[in-house]
Amino acid sequence: MKVGVLTGGGDCPGLNAVIRGVVRKGVQEYDCGFVGFKDGWRGAVEGDTLPLDISAVRGILPRGGTILGSSRTNPFKLENGVRRIKENLAKYEVDALVAIGGEDTLGVAAELYGEYGIPCVGVPKTIDNDLSATDYTFGFDTAVGIATEAIDRLHTTAESHMRVLVVEVMGRHAGWIALHSGLAGGANVILIPEQRFDLDQVCAWVTSRFKASYAPIVVVAEGAMPKDGEMVLKDATTDSFGHVRLSGVGEWLAKEIEARTGKEARTTVLGHIQRGGTPSAFDRWLATRFGLHAIEAVHDGDFGKMVALKGTDIVRVPIADATSKLKTVDPALYREVGVFFG
């Protein structure tokens, strides 16, 4: 059997660990051959490939990013995109695809399998941890660790100058990074996309913190919105999946807090720092296991499935179930951490 592998969407710590797990087990136990499609679905559409064998994956476990490259290409928005994928799979004699990605990449895989019969197995990747049907996605733990370390460092400079520091983290529709890093980093306010925030309440929490002779840290997810406002956009352009570019809510929030409280406020936008660099030990462990189980699913002919973490077990679930809705923060969980606000 010959297997194609691709990584789509944003880069993420742990992608190389998945590729390594897929190839090592596939070659050693199942005698599979492999071909990597470069830059996600773009490579599959254009036939841009990279040879994958044991030597190609040697030493990549601790490396961030992806040796295959990535893109946000949507083959359904390209002329004859599906037909070209089929032609390239036949050209390279590929019997099945392992698609490693988030909601959009796996959504394409689900449709290619369900509507066109292309054998696909999915691996859940996103730092946002917003894919349903899996307890955790790899990349999330690393992103939370990076954000938490940044918050720890910002506490000292905030208190030295007695100013408000607003930390903007990633999270378009789900506030998992903000919630986890904010709680772990001792933030005084955490704002997430699932719960529209009251700006007056935010300012009251900030003022309360100053009265206790401490400088407040406000953690805000990029997709968080005020009760009487809209999502702050970097610009109005969209990618091939219809997503606009976010970022800017942190700067907007800092200006509002400063104007309303009279306290100096500064913003730190962590941005792509959260998804770069070497993966954490947990993400290496999880990504490796996902890779091992993904190639096992291919070997079993169990297509249209995504490998997922349930407790400590790796299970298989329909890709369509994992992409049908996002996993968002439960309001009860958000209320639970509210005791630390202000």
Side-chain angles (χ1 to χ4, degrees):
M1 176 175 279
K2 194 170 185 181
V3 181
V5 183
L6 61 84
T7 55
D11 62 298
C12 176
L15 283 167
N16 287 324
V18 179
I19 298 168
R20 174 177 174 268
V22 167
V23 172
R24 285 287 296 271
K25 184 167 183 175
V27 171
Q28 293 173 200
E29 295 195 15
Y30 304 134
D31 197 28
C32 292
F34 289 92
V35 59
F37 288 103
K38 297 176 68 174
D39 304 332
W41 293 114
R42 183 197 68 78
V45 170
E46 298 179 6
D48 192 2
T49 65
L50 184 76
L52 278 181
D53 54 20
I54 295 293
S55 62
V57 300
R58 186 172 292 125
I60 68 172
L61 176 63
R63 285 173 54 182
T66 165
I67 62 170
L68 295 178
S70 192
S71 72
R72 296 190 182 278
T73 302
N74 184 349
F76 297 111
K77 294 296 179 66
L78 300 177
E79 186 176 356
N80 298 318
V82 175
R83 178 179 61 78
R84 292 159 69 187
I85 288 175
K86 286 185 173 181
E87 288 174 351
N88 285 319
L89 293 181
K91 176 182 177 181
Y92 292 102
E93 300 179 322
V94 172
D95 301 297
L97 276 174
V98 173
I100 311 166
E103 174 194 9
D104 297 322
T105 301
L106 295 181
V108 170
E111 189 166 348
L112 288 177
Y113 173 74
E115 297 296 325
Y116 301 95
I118 295 176
C120 294
V121 169
V123 178
K125 170 241 65 170
T126 168
I127 66 170
D128 292 330
N129 198 41
D130 60 359
L131 278 176
S132 58
T134 184
D135 290 348
Y136 285 98
T137 56
F138 69 88
F140 173 67
D141 185 72
T142 302
V144 169
I146 291 169
T148 301
E149 181 181 355
I151 296 167
D152 287 346
R153 292 175 181 273
L154 290 169
H155 272 291
T156 59
T157 187
E159 291 174 8
S160 294
H161 295 275
M162 289 304 289
R163 59 167 63 120
V164 184
L165 279 181
V166 178
V167 185
E168 182 184 302
V169 300
M170 285 185 169
R172 178 180 296 271
H173 300 297
W176 294 108
I177 294 176
L179 189 70
H180 281 241
S181 66
L183 182 62
N188 312 110
V189 181
I190 301 171
L191 307 176
I192 61 175
E194 293 89 339
Q195 300 285 323
R196 284 182 175 258
F197 61 86
D198 184 329
L199 194 52
D200 289 333
Q201 179 62 75
V202 171
C203 291
W205 284 327
V206 166
T207 301
S208 173
R209 184 67 172 173
F210 276 114
K211 286 180 179 179
S213 299
Y214 286 100
I217 300 286
V218 178
V219 174
V220 56
E222 62 186 352
M225 293 179 285
K227 284 184 175 179
D228 301 319
E230 299 299 326
M231 189 177 288
V232 179
L233 308 179
K234 195 160 191 172
D235 61 57
T237 60
T238 60
D239 63 19
S240 62
F241 290 96
H243 299 311
V244 293
R245 294 178 64 194
L246 300 186
S247 187
V249 66
E251 192 64 37
W252 174 85
L253 187 60
K255 290 178 181 178
E256 289 291 329
I257 290 173
E258 189 166 304
R260 291 169 180 244
T261 66
K263 299 293 185 179
E264 184 182 5
R266 299 287 182 87
T267 306
T268 297
V269 180
L270 296 185
H272 287 80
I273 291 173
Q274 295 158 92
R275 63 167 74 243
T278 188
S280 67
F282 178 82
D283 279 339
R284 297 184 202 189
W285 174 87
L286 180 59
T288 298
R289 292 190 71 202
F290 275 161
L292 298 176
H293 284 262
I295 193 61
E296 187 176 282
V298 170
H299 176 72
D300 293 345
D302 197 7
F303 301 117
K305 298 294 180 62
M306 182 191 84
V307 292
L309 180 69
K310 289 292 184 182
T312 58
D313 296 326
I314 305 296
V315 300
R316 301 172 192 171
V317 298
I319 300 177
D321 289 354
T323 58
S324 60
K325 68 174 184 177
L326 291 177
K327 181 179 67 179
T328 54
V329 175
D330 189 295
L333 180 59
Y334 185 66
R335 288 194 297 272
E336 185 178 298
V337 304
V339 68
F340 297 106
F341 296 176

